[in-house]
Amino acid sequence: MTHRIITIGRQFGSGGRTIGKLVAQKLGIPCYDQELIEQISQESGFTEEFVTAQSEDAPYSSWTATLLASDRTYYQTTNQDRIWAIQKKIILDLAQREDCVIVGRCADTILEGKADLLKVFIHADFDKRAQRIVEKYGETEVPTEKRLRDKDKRRALFYQFYTDQKWGALENYHLTLNSGVLGIDKCVEIIASLY
Amino acid sequence: MTHRIITIGRQFGSGGRTIGKLVAQKLGIPCYDQELIEQISQESGFTEEFVTAQSEDAPYSSWTATLLASDRTYYQTTNQDRIWAIQKKIILDLAQREDCVIVGRCADTILEGKADLLKVFIHADFDKRAQRIVEKYGETEVPTEKRLRDKDKRRALFYQFYTDQKWGALENYHLTLNSGVLGIDKCVEIIASLY
C-alpha cells in the first residue's frame, strides 16, 4: 500500500519546521524532523550532535573526507556516507509504514516514485528570516546574516551531493510558498487542503 | 490607492494563461494577457504579430540589434526596447487603475513596490506540458520538445535582459504551483483564496 507523505524542504528561518508540525497536527498524522536525528543516532551509534554535524547542516570542513572519498581513486565510505545510508533507510521504512510529514533530510528525492508525495518548499525574504531566527534562537556571536547564508549553503551542498538535484529549484517541488508574505497559518491551510 | 494585482509567470504549456483567466473570473476582476499585446500594438503602431515576435517570445535572431545596442559604444534604442518601454508604461498604468490579473510580461518585476502584489509562477513536468500543447495548439513541423524548450528559453532571456532577475527562480515568487500534479482547478482555488 502506498502512503501519502508530505515532504517539506525549507530555507533556514522560514518557519518550515513549524509549518510541518502544524500541518501534521491538523491532519492527525505524525511529523518527523528532530525524531529522525534520534533514530539515526540509535541505529548508527553516533551521538545526536555528531549526526546533526554530519548531515544536512554539516559545515564545509566536514566535507573533506567525503569529497575525497567520492574520487574513486581513494574510495572509502565516510561517516557522512554511513549517516546518509541510515537516514535513507529510515525514511524509506517510514514511507512503507504510515502517512506522515517529513521535514528536510532530502525526503523528497529519497521517496520519489516510492510514495504518494506532496513536495513542498518553504522560503521567505532575508529580513523576515533574520528576524525569525533572532526571535527563536536569540543572538549569537556570529552575525545573523552569516548564520542564514551558512545554513542555506550547507543544506544546498548536502542535498546536491547526495541527490544530484539542485536544492530550492522550483521544478523539484509541487508547491513553494513564501511564508514571510503569506503567513504561517495560510501556508498550513494550503498544504493541508492539498492532502 | 494601491491596487491588488495577481501576476502569473508560467512555463509554456503549463496552463498558466488558463489559470489566470479562471482566477480573474472567480474574483470578478479583469485578466490581461493577449489584451496587453493589443494595447502595445495600438500605442506603438507595430502590428500585433511584430509585438509578439519582439517581446517575451522573441526568437534569438531578433536579439542581435538589442544586444549590440546594449553595448554602450553602439548605443541606440531598438524596436525591442521601444516595445519594452510601452509594455512597462501600460502595466504601470493598469496598476494605477484597477485590481487585476496579469499573465506574463514581467509584470511581477515591473510592479515590485508599486502595487499590492501576489506573485505566482505556474510550471509542470515536461510530459504534461508536451501533452497540453499538442492538445491545445496541435502538432507542428517542429518537434514538441523543441517547441517547449525554445519558448521557455526565450521567456527566460527576455525576463533576464529587461529585469536583471532570473526567470523561474522561486525566490521571486510568493507561490509556485505544479499544475500538472495539483490540477488546474486546485491551482485556481489556491490563488483565489490568497487574494
Side-chain angles (χ1 to χ4, degrees), chain A residues 4-181:
Chain A
R4 309 188 68 191
I5 317 271
I6 299 174
T7 61
I8 301 192
R10 74 290 181 225
Q11 287 182 333
F12 182 49
S14 67
R17 188 180 181 168
T18 305
I19 291 170
K21 296 271 172 216
L22 291 172
V23 166
Q25 213 173 305
K26 195 164 179 152
L27 297 172
I29 58 178
C31 176
Y32 294 97
D33 173 26
Q34 185 55 31
E35 297 78 2
L36 289 176
I37 299 280
E38 290 162 23
Q39 285 193 37
I40 296 167
S41 163
Q42 281 166 18
E43 290 212 21
S44 65
F46 294 129
T47 64
E48 288 180 28
E49 292 67 30
F50 188 80
V51 171
T52 303
Q54 295 287 326
S55 54
E56 65 179 6
D57 294 334
Y60 286 171
S61 56
S62 74
W63 281 90
T64 320
T66 301
L67 292 172
L68 196 64
S70 70
D71 173 347
R72 292 281 156 178
T73 322
Y74 304 99
Y75 194 76
Q76 53 178 333
T77 307
T78 64
N79 288 336
Q80 209 156 21
D81 290 335
R82 281 182 209 113
I83 289 171
W84 168 252
I86 295 171
Q87 166 173 332
K88 197 170 164 180
K89 182 185 153 290
I90 291 174
I91 288 173
L92 286 167
D93 285 352
L94 270 183
Q96 288 289 315
R97 205 173 64 207
E98 60 188 346
D99 295 2
C100 61
V101 175
I102 304 177
V103 179
R105 321 237 141 245
C106 312
D108 48 352
T109 54
I110 291 174
L111 296 178
E112 188 70 60
K114 299 197 172 67
D116 182 5
L117 291 182
L118 176 65
K119 301 189 287 180
V120 181
F121 189 85
I122 307 290
H123 62 109
D125 298 341
F126 202 83
D127 293 351
K128 291 270 183 183
R129 297 199 286 134
Q131 190 187 333
R132 191 177 168 88
I133 67 163
V134 170
E135 278 168 20
K136 215 170 152 71
Y137 307 108
E139 298 270 4
T140 66
E141 273 180 21
V142 184
T144 310
E145 178 170 341
K146 188 166 161 44
R147 285 162 76 191
L148 278 176
R149 295 217 189 279
D150 271 5
K151 203 101 158 188
D152 284 345
K153 270 196 200 165
R154 289 170 187 192
R155 287 180 184 174
L157 176 60
F158 186 82
Y159 191 91
Q160 187 141 1
F161 184 80
Y162 282 110
T163 72
D164 282 330
Q165 302 273 343
K166 201 169 165 285
W167 184 75
L170 68 81
E171 290 80 6
N172 296 340
Y173 306 98
H174 299 147
L175 176 71
T176 79
L177 299 166
N178 181 324
S179 61
V181 171

Side-chain angles (χ1 to χ4, degrees), chain B:
Chain B
M1 184 192 155
T2 307
H3 286 285
R4 307 188 70 189
I5 316 270
I6 299 174
T7 62
I8 300 191
R10 74 289 182 225
Q11 287 181 333
F12 183 48
S14 68
R17 189 181 180 166
T18 305
I19 291 171
K21 298 269 172 218
L22 292 171
V23 166
Q25 212 174 304
K26 194 162 180 155
L27 297 172
I29 57 177
C31 177
Y32 293 97
D33 174 25
Q34 184 56 31
E35 298 77 3
L36 288 176
I37 300 280
E38 290 162 23
Q39 284 193 37
I40 296 167
S41 163
Q42 281 166 19
E43 290 210 22
S44 65
F46 294 128
T47 64
E48 287 180 26
E49 292 68 30
F50 188 80
V51 171
T52 303
Q54 295 287 326
S55 54
E56 66 179 8
D57 293 335
Y60 286 169
S61 56
S62 75
W63 280 90
T64 319
T66 300
L67 291 173
L68 197 62
S70 71
D71 174 347
R72 293 282 156 177
T73 323
Y74 304 99
Y75 194 75
Q76 53 178 333
T77 307
T78 64
N79 287 336
Q80 210 156 19
D81 291 334
R82 280 183 208 111
I83 289 170
W84 168 252
I86 294 171
Q87 167 174 330
K88 197 169 163 181
K89 182 185 154 291
I90 290 173
I91 288 174
L92 286 167
D93 285 352
L94 269 183
Q96 288 289 313
R97 205 173 66 207
E98 61 188 347
D99 294 2
C100 61
V101 176
I102 304 177
V103 179
R105 319 240 140 245
C106 312
D108 48 352
T109 54
I110 291 173
L111 296 178
E112 188 70 59
K114 298 196 173 67
D116 182 5
L117 291 182
L118 177 65
K119 301 189 288 181
V120 181
F121 190 84
I122 307 290
H123 63 109
D125 298 341
F126 202 82
D127 293 351
K128 290 271 182 181
R129 297 198 286 133
Q131 189 187 333
R132 190 176 168 89
I133 67 163
V134 169
E135 279 169 19
K136 214 168 152 75
Y137 308 109
E139 298 270 5
T140 66
E141 273 180 20
V142 184
T144 310
E145 179 169 340
K146 189 167 160 45
R147 284 163 76 193
L148 278 175
R149 295 215 190 279
D150 270 6
K151 202 99 158 190
D152 283 345
K153 270 196 200 165
R154 288 171 188 192
R155 287 180 184 173
L157 177 60
F158 185 82
Y159 191 90
Q160 187 141 2
F161 185 80
Y162 282 111
T163 72
D164 282 331
Q165 303 273 343
K166 201 169 166 288
W167 184 75
L170 68 79
E171 289 81 5
N172 297 340
Y173 306 98
H174 299 147
L175 176 72
T176 79
L177 299 165
N178 181 323
S179 61
V181 171
L182 306 179
I184 299 279
D185 292 345
K186 196 69 203 177
C187 291
V188 172
E189 191 187 313
I190 291 173
I191 299 167
S193 83
L194 288 168
Y195 185 65

